[in-house]
Amino acid sequence: MPPAANAGPAPALQSYLNIDAIIDAVKKTGARAVHPGYGFLSENAGFVDRLNEEGIIFVGPPASAIRALGDKVESKRIAKQAGLNIIPGFIGEIQDEPHALQVAAEIGYPVMIKASAGGGGKGMRIAWNESELKQEVIMAKAEAMSAFGNDTLLIEKFVEQARHIEFQVVGDHFGHMVYLPERDCSVQRRNQKVIEESPSPFISAEVRAAMGAQAVRLASAVGYNSTGTVEFVVDKHSNFYFLEMNTRLQVEHPVTEAVSGLDLVHLMLAIASNQRLDVTQERAAAINGAAVEARVYAEDPSRNFAPSPGLLKVYREPEGPGIRVDSGVVEGSEISIYYDPMVAKVVTSGATRNQALARMESALDRFVVRGVTTNMPHVRSCIANPDFKAGHYDTSFIPKYYGGPDGLNPLAFPLTEHQQQDMFAAAVFTHVNRARRYDPKYLAGEDDVARLTLSWRDVHGNKLVPLDVVVRLAGLQMVGREGVAAGALEIQLPSRVAYVYSMRQPPGVVGKQAYNTYLRHMMVDGKPITVQVAKFIPRGVIMQYLGAQRELYIESPAAAALSQHMPAKSKASSHRVVRSPMTGTLVEVLVQHGSEVRLGDDLVVIEAMKMRNAIKADREGFVDEVFAKQGDVVSADQPLLKFW
């Protein structure tokens, strides 16, 4: 392992955004070059200047290109001069709130507010009216300053029903510049990418060539030499507009590597070493198969994607052909409140889009994380969505399919009736197998029958739906020798008979990661499925299949009948208490004892994982007591204040 050096305290402004601290770390380790990664100082021209002064190589573009293109305001001016299509908006910095209101009124709502120096969704907000604009400008400025040390903003028209499509460009020091296959990054939450794929299932070859040519034209205009990404927004008629350029390597670069066969980090290092880029435009643009990336975040979608820091008690990555997992954690690692909540990137590739998606489904089904809440169930559900599979999606995909009060709760994620019965059959099989291990005589003979009741609770948790189930051993003629040897069962559900047996691992999966105690690999009616035990609960279990979860109870009919009459466990009344939805730092407390509050007013602001989150009032009233103060680190569900 290469030597490591402590860059400073956890807050980014004191460490990873502290140029002196980074330079000191470089000198301590004896490094001759710095690869800046994805964020922090990766697009900071002042950092590049300092490295040049110290005689240290920066693995990236020159400071002049970063200044020109890394600033979103200046990049729009350059793009317009270079003949690129530009989104309507004000090409300049927003001076203050009155200026923001004036610009938005001229452009027309909705508008997008952006941090000029930023990326990754930080300092980015949508305002649909004047009232929202006033609030979002304040939040965006604070978020941008925290993440990038620069609170300059710009405002542009928000394009609805848009696709977010970007092009990787690579250029050397000798004027040779090429574009690579595009990435479609339209599935987003909070303006941050969640799923990316290449090539886009939406654009035509003609549009691809035109967009790629504009990307090269922009980068060439500033003498760019390294990898970079030119981002476009594309409307439903395939009209495309320049969005911004990221003068660094992107998080999602493995997708491009998979379809192009080019190692982008290797190219960055070669170019930084003053080598020529020995790749023709024809070779660079060639598309070989398809690839998909899913970002795994430590966050809780059911709490509006609130960060979920904590300890990774269980961490098991999937393995298999065409599966790549990039991560910087292991079992036992801590997900900190100070940095981005990304845990890992799952990248799958195949000869076709369908094969890449099938491998992604298998990988997410077998990826087990416990100790923190992640977005994996949600991402898995997105991948299974018929419109996503058909390539019919845009940046409104998540709000469209997962909107509403319970839309982001895994217990509400959709399953077809047949898929839900597959899950029920798998749960019954698991229950019966456990009983047979404890009692060898249980369901041991061909004529033995087990009668059970499977009950499942709806998303609101206020009622149980009971189903009568009959179980017996499956015959040779139905499941074959393999099934009989694996203890196959015939499970009679109210509307279907399922034949189920266990597999040690899914077909085509090998290695030590193929099986663990949190997974159940089964053959249901000749189809292999994988379910996860998401959580054990009193008298039952929460099972997960295709990302969707269901709260299940499997009991004897007599026990189930009694359960129907048992009162639900009452919860202490807390309707007057406002609790923190996440772990983070309380950066603003906007109310005090006696404050009058209206519905929707901001109460406090919590910063977690480089994002600022305003906690709003869900009622009108007066504040009785405030339990925390500015600067406190609060945990999820910690009481913050209460109303009279």
Side-chain angles (χ1 to χ4, degrees), residues 79-117:
K80 188 173 184 179
Q81 292 171 0
L84 274 70
N85 307 336
I86 303 296
I87 297 177
F90 175 72
I91 302 181
E93 299 175 3
I94 297 302
Q95 304 300 321
D96 49 30
E97 183 183 293
H99 187 211
L101 292 170
Q102 176 191 338
V103 170
E106 292 172 356
I107 297 171
Y109 292 96
V111 297
M112 175 71 82
I113 306 156
K114 289 183 178 179
S116 178

Side-chain angles (χ1 to χ4, degrees), residues 146-455:
S146 175
F148 313 112
N150 183 339
D151 65 356
T152 303
L153 301 179
L154 64 89
I155 292 180
E156 63 190 18
K157 181 69 176 176
F158 174 64
V159 180
E160 300 180 72
Q161 292 184 307
R163 307 281 291 226
H164 183 127
I165 296 177
E166 61 190 30
F167 278 76
Q168 186 81 58
V169 294
V170 185
D172 63 18
H173 293 272
F174 305 95
H176 182 41
M177 177 74 61
V178 297
Y179 70 85
L180 279 64
E182 80 283 356
R183 298 185 290 256
D184 196 322
C185 310
S186 301
V187 179
Q188 304 180 2
R189 59 94 177 98
R190 285 185 161 188
N191 303 307
Q192 286 184 301
K193 303 160 188 172
V194 178
I195 300 172
E196 302 99 345
E197 66 172 312
S198 182
S200 169
F202 177 70
I203 66 172
S204 66
E206 292 75 20
V207 172
R208 176 179 296 115
M211 294 176 74
Q214 285 202 11
V216 167
R217 194 153 68 238
L218 175 65
S220 298
V222 294
Y224 199 90
N225 48 63
S226 188
T227 65
T229 300
V230 182
E231 302 190 355
F232 296 90
V233 61
V234 185
D235 69 18
K236 60 185 177 181
H237 303 296
S238 293
N239 299 308
F240 60 91
Y241 306 94
F242 170 70
L243 195 60
E244 63 188 40
M245 181 167 184
N246 288 309
T247 56
R248 56 174 169 82
L249 190 68
Q250 295 281 89
V251 170
E252 60 272 21
H253 75 275
V255 172
T256 299
E257 292 183 333
V259 297
S260 69
L262 297 173
D263 185 327
L264 294 178
V265 177
H266 174 81
L267 291 178
M268 290 183 76
L269 293 169
I271 292 167
S273 301
N274 213 33
Q275 296 179 29
R276 288 184 178 273
L277 177 63
D278 188 23
V279 179
T280 66
Q281 180 57 74
E282 182 180 8
R283 165 67 185 88
I287 299 173
N288 302 296
V292 187
E293 175 180 284
R295 302 189 186 194
V296 178
Y297 288 105
E299 63 185 16
D300 188 347
S302 67
R303 293 188 173 195
N304 195 28
F305 300 100
S308 175
L311 191 70
L312 292 176
K313 297 178 180 178
V314 179
Y315 183 79
R316 311 283 171 80
E317 294 179 352
E319 296 178 351
I323 296 174
R324 165 179 170 177
V325 180
D326 288 1
S327 69
V329 298
V330 295
E331 196 162 288
S333 293
E334 181 182 1
I335 305 300
S336 166
I337 67 171
Y338 294 103
Y339 309 115
D340 191 275
M342 188 183 299
V343 176
K345 300 179 296 183
V346 182
V347 184
T348 59
S349 56
T352 64
R353 183 174 185 264
N354 285 342
Q355 186 179 48
L357 289 177
R359 287 173 170 172
M360 178 61 74
E361 290 176 323
S362 173
L364 292 175
D365 284 342
R366 294 181 287 113
F367 199 163
V368 179
V369 178
R370 299 291 185 270
V372 299
T373 301
T374 76
N375 68 327
M376 260 198 296
H378 181 233
V379 173
R380 179 63 179 90
S381 181
C382 290
I383 295 290
N385 181 283
D387 274 355
F388 179 84
K389 284 194 168 184
H392 301 152
Y393 62 89
D394 55 41
T395 53
S396 67
F397 177 82
I398 288 178
K400 177 180 179 180
Y401 288 101
Y402 299 93
D406 296 313
L408 289 165
N409 187 333
L411 293 171
F413 289 171
L415 289 174
T416 66
E417 182 64 26
H418 195 85
Q419 290 168 345
Q420 185 156 277
Q421 289 183 359
D422 283 347
M423 177 197 278
F424 290 170
V428 171
F429 181 89
T430 300
H431 173 86
V432 171
N433 254 14
R434 183 184 301 167
R436 293 173 75 188
R437 283 199 302 271
Y438 289 114
D439 182 2
K441 295 181 180 180
Y442 181 74
L443 209 64
E446 292 183 5
D447 297 326
D448 290 353
V449 174
R451 299 186 183 277
L452 301 168
T453 297
L454 181 149
S455 304

Side-chain angles (χ1 to χ4, degrees), residues 492-506:
Q492 183 177 330
L493 299 166
S495 58
R496 172 184 166 198
V497 176
Y499 295 90
V500 186
Y501 61 89
S502 179
M503 298 184 294
R504 185 69 181 173
Q505 58 196 36

